[in-house]
Amino acid sequence: MTTDSKVNILTRLTSFRLIRSLLVAITKMCPSDGDTRLNVALDLIAERRTNACTICRISAILTRVMLAIGSTVFGTTLDVVQKSLNDNIFRRSMSSVISGLARFGVNKPFTPGAPFQVVWNVTKSCNLRCKHCYESAGQKDPNELSTKQALRVIDKLADAGVVFLAFSGGEPTIRPDILTLIRRATEQEMYVAVATNGIAFSNPDRVRLFKNAGMKFVQISIDGANAVTHDEFKGVPGAFARTISGIRNCVAEGLFVEVSTTVTRHNIAEIYDVISLCEGLEVRWLMFYNLVPVGRGKELIDMDLTPDEREYLLEVLWERISSEQKSSMEVLTTAPQLGRFAYEANARSNSRDEIISPTHFNNARLPSQMIGLAEFIGGCGAGRFYVALEPNGDIYPCVFFPHIETMKVGNIVTDDFEAIWTDSPLLRRLRNKDLLQDACGSCEKRYVCGGCRARAIGYFGDELAPDPGCINNRDIWDKLAGICVSELEFLVCISSSVAKANFSEG
């Protein structure tokens, strides 16, 4: 039976009103067992719990059936899933997947029952002046939540089923109570990440403090392969050396370290050098970000990549991802176009045994018959896999969405977070890739890509507009830019050839 056939079975099952109603019922709280019936059921299946009420035990039977079907879809077994449920993060993830089936059914792409990740800009205070900063960070927001409010927010996110909580900014290490917040999130069994410029972590004692508080993942930004490029982009001399020191200290402490790089025409010629640098630093992930014209990034719009430059970047990334050479460092990107690029490359591949499905989280190598799963994983996750919080608690679909009333979906302090996730009209529009306009809407790869919705807003003020950075939208880019694309292609060709030669030589 093909993967598509198995998915169709799951789709039909969740379309039956009775089964859907039962799934919804098990996501509710059990007054006897003090948790949702789904979470109790997962604990029973994992043998982490032996006592439960009769209804929760019946819920465990239905949950086991769903896990059995889901495990075959993803090429594993129920025994493997059952053992994995002893891991808190995996169990929370499974709970979110099943509750997503209950709330939204099987959709392309899939929406979980709660955002897998929340990125919380806990402060606007910052010690750098990055040219592309989406927050226009620098000074503290006068409406920044107090420690007491922030702790209540963490509890609310945990109760909703959020799996990953990333503290960002501004510069989150500047916030005086950040360790208190990390500890609370860890106590609530969320996976805690910190997105930072790494300067604070140039002191190894600070790294240990954060690690001991519960930080497991750290994202540190590098926007050039050398001090000249990086410091000019960051706006502070000497930042590069301290950031590199911070990365080394985090790696030495055994943390999961990701380096993030926003690719612009300012640094595109250094892509191979950035990869080499991060490989040498022994980081786990290297994430290449799009430039989004929001915050201070609006002033950098002339440095945005053309569609051809972005296609070159995708070629570089795919060359690395699909290489047979093994590496401990995963190369990723937030550019959803890589999903489209990979889909096309897999189709052209001489190998029919394996396909590669890139996401924001990993580059999954799957049996070729599972290629259809890429459409369920999807591309842009704004309002579907993650949401963003502002220092005052305002909720946006993504950190790169402009802070205007039409893009705000609520406030975590005053509103019902779970109701927002389920019912927000804006979030529902973002999840439905069939609503996309122009080339993005008619593209056969819209379920694996769909374009960056923040870039669509940044350029057109419409979340359903096309992403002008895709090769399929080159005509739209040309109208926007009013530039000679052939000249830019020539410049890219020259710069990439030089970079590639330098990379090959050592």
Side-chain angles (χ1 to χ4, degrees):
M1 185 183 294
T2 65
T3 298
D4 285 345
S5 298
K6 295 173 184 176
V7 169
N8 287 335
I9 291 174
L10 193 59
T11 302
R12 286 199 296 271
L13 274 175
T14 56
S15 67
F16 287 125
R17 183 173 298 178
L18 175 60
I19 293 178
R20 190 75 169 272
S21 297
L22 288 172
L23 285 173
V24 170
I26 69 173
T27 65
K28 306 300 183 183
M29 286 293 296
C30 171
S32 300
D33 295 322
D35 204 342
T36 66
R37 299 196 187 281
L38 175 57
N39 287 340
V40 173
L42 291 172
D43 281 346
L44 288 169
I45 293 169
E47 298 179 353
R48 290 164 49 95
R49 173 196 286 262
T50 56
N51 297 320
C53 72
T54 302
I55 297 177
C56 283
R57 289 186 177 279
I58 295 172
S59 299
I61 296 172
L62 177 60
T63 302
R64 187 183 290 271
V65 170
M66 299 304 297
L67 290 177
I69 297 172
S71 61
T72 61
V73 170
F74 285 92
T76 186
T77 66
L78 180 59
D79 286 343
V80 171
V81 172
Q82 184 172 341
K83 291 175 183 176
S84 299
L85 287 172
N86 284 294
D87 178 81
N88 290 337
I89 301 305
F90 183 84
R91 191 171 63 259
R92 290 180 72 87
S93 298
M94 281 295 99
S95 178
S96 188
V97 169
I98 295 172
S99 61
L101 292 173
R103 291 186 183 187
F104 308 112
V106 180
N107 295 312
K108 296 181 181 180
F110 180 70
T111 302
F116 268 120
Q117 182 181 52
V118 170
V119 180
W120 187 0
N121 301 318
V122 289
T123 185
K124 284 192 176 182
S125 299
C126 193
N127 47 8
L128 294 183
R129 296 294 181 271
C130 302
K131 289 186 175 181
H132 66 312
C133 181
Y134 58 77
E135 280 288 86
S136 300
Q139 300 299 314
K140 177 181 176 179
D141 187 328
N143 297 313
E144 183 177 296
L145 299 183
S146 67
T147 301
K148 186 176 180 180
Q149 289 174 312
L151 292 174
R152 284 202 296 266
V153 166
I154 291 170
D155 294 343
K156 183 180 284 192
L157 295 176
D159 289 344
V162 172
V163 181
F164 303 94
L165 179 57
F167 293 102
S168 187
E171 176 50 45
T173 61
I174 291 177
R175 182 165 167 140
D177 62 356
I178 187 64
L179 295 176
T180 300
L181 304 186
I182 290 174
R183 288 190 195 97
R184 176 62 69 89
T186 301
E187 290 166 0
Q188 290 283 21
E189 297 188 339
M190 287 186 283
Y191 187 91
V192 178
V194 173
T196 170
N197 56 40
I199 289 176
F201 293 152
S202 61
N203 179 345
D205 292 336
R206 293 294 303 280
V207 178
R208 293 187 198 101
L209 282 173
F210 276 74
K211 179 182 178 181
N212 291 338
M215 179 182 75
K216 293 181 175 64
F217 183 108
V218 58
Q219 180 193 76
I220 299 178
S221 58
I222 291 180
D223 288 307
N226 53 68
V228 174
T229 307
H230 178 87
D231 290 357
E232 197 274 333
F233 200 74
K234 296 295 190 183
V236 176
F240 184 75
R242 295 178 68 185
T243 294
I244 295 297
S245 177
I247 292 172
R248 293 189 190 280
N249 289 335
C250 289
V251 170
E253 281 295 324
L255 292 163
F256 194 118
V257 181
E258 172 192 294
V259 165
S260 63
T261 299
T262 299
V263 186
T264 66
R265 292 167 64 194
H266 177 78
N267 60 9
I268 190 171
E270 298 179 15
I271 294 303
Y272 282 101
D273 291 333
V274 170
I275 293 174
S276 291
L277 171 64
C278 293
E279 189 88 70
L281 291 169
E282 299 181 346
V283 306
R284 296 281 295 278
W285 285 358
L286 171 57
M287 179 76 75
F288 289 104
Y289 276 76
N290 281 322
L291 173 69
V292 180
V294 65
R296 284 200 289 268
K298 289 186 291 187
E299 301 170 12
L300 207 64
I301 198 167
D302 61 323
M303 297 301 291
D304 195 6
L305 301 183
T306 68
D308 293 277
E309 287 170 323
R310 183 164 283 98
E311 200 73 3
Y312 159 69
L313 172 64
L314 299 180
E315 290 173 4
V316 172
L317 301 186
W318 184 251
E319 175 188 277
R320 170 71 185 214
I321 293 166
S322 60
S323 171
E324 294 296 327
Q325 182 180 354
K326 300 297 181 183
S327 172
S328 60
M329 185 181 79
E330 194 91 80
V331 177
L332 306 160
T333 181
T334 62
Q337 288 84 8
L338 184 60
R340 182 264 306 162
F341 192 99
Y343 203 99
E344 295 169 350
N346 284 318
R348 294 192 302 266
S349 174
N350 293 326
S351 171
R352 296 299 174 190
D353 297 330
E354 181 182 77
I355 59 114
I356 302 174
S357 180
T359 71
H360 291 2
F361 308 106
N362 74 337
N363 298 309
R365 293 178 180 270
L366 304 170
S368 58
Q369 64 268 27
M370 297 178 72
I371 190 169
L373 285 180
E375 293 188 334
F376 292 92
I377 296 170
C380 178
R384 182 178 63 87
F385 262 27
Y386 48 79
V387 294
L389 301 183
E390 280 298 287
N392 68 348
D394 284 344
I395 308 169
Y396 292 88
C398 170
V399 294
F400 294 106
F401 273 46
H403 299 157
I404 55 178
E405 201 62 29
T406 55
M407 293 294 126
K408 186 175 81 171
V409 295
N411 184 282
I412 190 67
V413 176
T414 59
D415 298 324
D416 184 330
F417 183 64
E418 295 185 55
I420 289 170
W421 181 252
T422 304
D423 302 324
S424 165
L426 176 57
L427 298 188
R428 285 180 174 271
R429 288 197 300 275
L430 290 168
R431 296 165 186 167
N432 188 348
K433 304 306 177 184
D434 292 330
L435 297 179
L436 298 179
Q437 301 168 6
D438 298 306
C440 283
S442 60
C443 181
E444 294 180 353
K445 310 302 185 301
R446 62 187 177 278
Y447 302 128
V448 298
C449 172
C452 172
R453 296 299 93 214
R455 286 174 50 81
I457 295 168
Y459 277 102
F460 299 106
D462 184 347
E463 71 276 5
L464 300 178
D467 177 349
C470 179
I471 198 75
N472 294 333
N473 288 325
R474 183 193 278 149
D475 58 333
I476 296 173
W477 174 268
D478 291 349
K479 291 176 182 177
L480 281 173
I483 53 178
C484 176
V485 175
S486 60
E487 181 181 346
L488 285 175
E489 288 176 343
F490 174 75
L491 291 174
V492 173
C493 179
I494 295 297
S495 65
S496 62
S497 299
V498 170
K500 200 165 188 175
N502 290 340
F503 180 74
S504 301
E505 289 172 6

